[in-house]
Amino acid sequence: MTSNQLQQRFSELFNQSSTQTYFCPGRVNLIGEHIDYNGGLVMPCAIDYGTTLLMAPNTEGVFRLRSVNFDETIDIPVQTAYEKQGKDWFNYPLGVLHHFVKDGKELKGLDMLYFGNLPIGSGLSSSASIEIVTAFALNTYFNSGYTKLELVLQAKSVENNFIGLNSGIMDQFAVAFGERNKALMLNCDTLEYQAVDANLGNHVLAIISTNKPRKLAESKYNERVKECQEALADLQKELDIQYLCDIDAKTFHEHAHLISNPIVLKRATHVVEENDRVKLAARALSAGDLNEFGRLMYASHESLQNLYEVSGLELDTIVAYSKTDSNVTGARMTGAGFGGCAIALVKTDALEEFRKNLIEYYTKIVGYEPSIYSTSINDGVRIAQ
Ligand code: GLA
């Protein structure tokens, strides 16, 4: 939808014009998967696609939430607390409103229209994008005085405590702090980050959506979080650590015998080795060594496939195809997995050929088509022009 069409929809819905428009991107994670809740290093970046929010005050003291993408709506008065209502999309903004009012921030009624062009539920952080665009918009509009980091922590709390997914901080951080042509190497323990030059040279970043419905994703995700906690508790019998990522691979392997459950051992092995890979990847990316970066992407995928077991036929098919295509320098699943999206570094002038061949290969094996996008690495949440 163009911004004119969105303005028009806003006027039809609310009988007034919107006074402000905000945009928050989604993200891909270049490397460092299932690391954030283990206190390690991740390397996400914000993309071109995301959530637009049009907003205007109303005089009725009501929040009216509408979406171009979903039919469900909610009209709810300004009050001192909110509770989750079913599973509808508006729980993300509602959770943000809950945090603002709980902190005693003064809010007034608003008409709000959301439009997302991220494929929904595709693992590109559409939920973090909705949370952060809402938090940023309220904070800006009402001068609520939060720092950007506070908005990120609040949005994570919405996800963990209001929605009920035990996710880490990566997605909210990436979509808030994203920088053009930079990957954010974020330490998820200290929340310090380094913006690493992502000079992709003659390559473009492709996003391939498996188009697989993600059914068990939430329960499987929470299961992985628990498995990591179990590994940590085992290691803590001898090691004074707070997170799995507090140790390198060498120390880990020396103490691996402490982990009695073989499945838990596989999960922890992925986490510790992946954390080490991020350090190598940051060095390769900033030096413009895309071949090394691509090799690390493939290694990361293999580990997620075999040790962490969050991939699947669809994602594996994309990566298997990529390995056979000399125009692809690296590929891996991105985000939580269980369907969702993969990313690939593809030679820019071969993108169309890649698209055609991958669709053919994937459809033959999986039975339906993937969707393929290309994106630049872009800025985080902002006031839209
Ligand atoms: C999801 C979560 C993130 C992170 C990734 C896996 O996107 O929201 O916090 O754990 O999965 O790296």
Side-chain angles (χ1 to χ4, degrees):
M1 264 202 169
T2 65
S3 61
N4 279 347
Q5 288 168 325
L6 281 172
Q7 285 292 350
Q8 195 177 334
R9 178 68 71 88
F10 191 94
S11 311
E12 286 161 14
L13 285 167
F14 298 118
N15 218 3
Q16 66 163 334
S17 303
S18 85
T19 50
Q20 195 57 268
T21 305
Y22 306 88
F23 177 78
C24 184
R27 64 99 190 87
V28 293
N29 186 20
L30 296 182
I31 195 160
E33 216 64 82
H34 286 279
I35 289 297
D36 58 351
Y37 52 87
N38 288 302
L41 297 166
V42 295
M43 215 203 279
C45 51
I47 58 176
D48 295 337
Y49 306 91
T51 310
T52 302
L53 166 59
L54 286 77
M55 209 165 87
N58 64 46
T59 49
E60 289 88 2
V62 172
F63 294 113
R64 296 197 188 99
L65 303 177
R66 306 284 183 272
S67 164
V68 173
N69 306 85
F70 303 100
D71 292 336
E72 300 79 19
T73 65
I74 187 168
D75 289 15
I76 198 159
V78 178
Q79 52 199 43
T80 51
Y82 295 96
E83 270 174 27
K84 188 179 171 199
Q85 312 198 356
K87 289 190 166 236
D88 292 323
W89 71 274
F90 52 69
N91 282 296
Y92 296 101
L94 207 55
V96 173
L97 287 169
H98 175 70
H99 274 78
F100 271 70
V101 292
K102 207 179 56 160
D103 281 359
K105 302 292 179 192
E106 206 174 305
L107 304 180
K108 298 204 170 83
L110 290 172
D111 293 344
M112 303 166 95
L113 175 63
Y114 291 81
F115 167 62
N117 62 359
L118 287 164
I120 308 289
S122 61
L124 299 178
S125 296
S126 51
S127 58
S129 170
I130 298 178
E131 289 153 8
I132 293 290
V133 81
T134 307
F136 179 82
L138 296 175
N139 195 43
T140 309
Y141 191 80
F142 293 110
N143 259 320
S144 306
Y146 291 114
T147 63
K148 208 192 256 188
L149 185 59
E150 284 169 338
L151 296 180
V152 166
L153 292 167
Q154 189 183 79
K156 176 178 183 284
S157 168
V158 169
E159 201 74 56
N160 297 164
N161 304 317
F162 200 84
I163 303 292
L165 185 75
N166 297 329
S167 54
I169 191 115
M170 172 172 74
D171 302 347
Q172 288 79 9
F173 196 96
V175 303
F177 283 92
E179 286 181 38
R180 189 158 190 75
N181 294 331
K182 307 268 185 192
L184 307 180
M185 185 166 73
L186 169 68
N187 180 322
C188 298
D189 176 13
T190 62
L191 298 186
E192 283 162 7
Y193 76 99
Q194 208 183 315
V196 178
D197 278 333
N199 183 359
L200 301 185
N202 60 348
H203 286 70
V204 65
L205 184 57
I207 301 174
I208 306 103
S209 172
T210 58
N211 289 333
K212 179 191 183 187
R214 290 168 80 206
K215 283 209 192 92
L216 289 171
E218 286 191 13
S219 59
K220 291 265 181 212
Y221 184 96
N222 286 343
E223 183 183 293
R224 292 297 177 280
V225 175
K226 263 185 68 197
E227 288 164 344
C228 290
Q229 286 163 351
E230 194 181 322
L232 178 65
D234 283 345
L235 291 171
Q236 282 171 331
K237 286 180 204 141
E238 281 186 17
L239 294 170
D240 180 19
I241 54 172
Q242 206 192 339
Y243 292 107
L244 283 181
C245 292
D246 289 348
I247 45 176
D248 60 14
K250 186 170 171 286
T251 315
F252 173 75
H253 290 301
E254 282 163 9
H255 294 82
H257 61 273
L258 293 170
I259 302 176
S260 47
N261 179 334
I263 296 202
V264 169
L265 177 61
K266 275 166 64 171
R267 308 297 188 240
T269 306
H270 162 76
V271 169
V272 175
E273 292 180 352
E274 177 82 349
N275 192 48
D276 283 355
R277 265 191 293 273
V278 178
K279 295 175 203 158
L280 298 176
R283 220 174 298 154
L285 188 62
S286 58
D289 185 351
L290 289 186
N291 285 332
E292 170 66 358
F293 191 79
R295 184 190 70 75
L296 292 162
M297 286 174 84
Y298 284 131
S300 166
H301 184 84
E302 206 170 295
S303 177
L304 289 155
Q305 177 182 352
N306 298 324
L307 296 177
Y308 217 67
E309 297 181 285
V310 291
S311 184
L313 173 72
E314 301 77 8
L315 290 164
D316 293 344
T317 301
I318 295 165
V319 173
Y321 168 78
S322 299
K323 284 183 175 165
T324 68
D325 186 333
S326 59
N327 291 313
V328 183
T329 303
R332 59 182 290 278
M333 56 157 275
T334 191
F338 317 107
C341 286
I343 50 172
L345 284 180
V346 183
K347 302 243 170 75
T348 309
D349 54 13
L351 183 65
E352 277 322 302
E353 199 185 323
F354 168 77
R355 185 194 302 272
K356 195 173 123 273
N357 292 339
L358 173 58
I359 290 178
E360 194 185 317
Y361 183 94
Y362 182 96
T363 308
K364 229 181 261 165
I365 293 174
V366 175
Y368 52 86
E369 288 193 7
S371 305
I372 302 170
Y373 310 80
S374 63
T375 183
S376 63
I377 295 179
N378 219 323
D379 289 322
V381 68
R382 54 200 184 255
I383 294 177
Q385 294 314 314

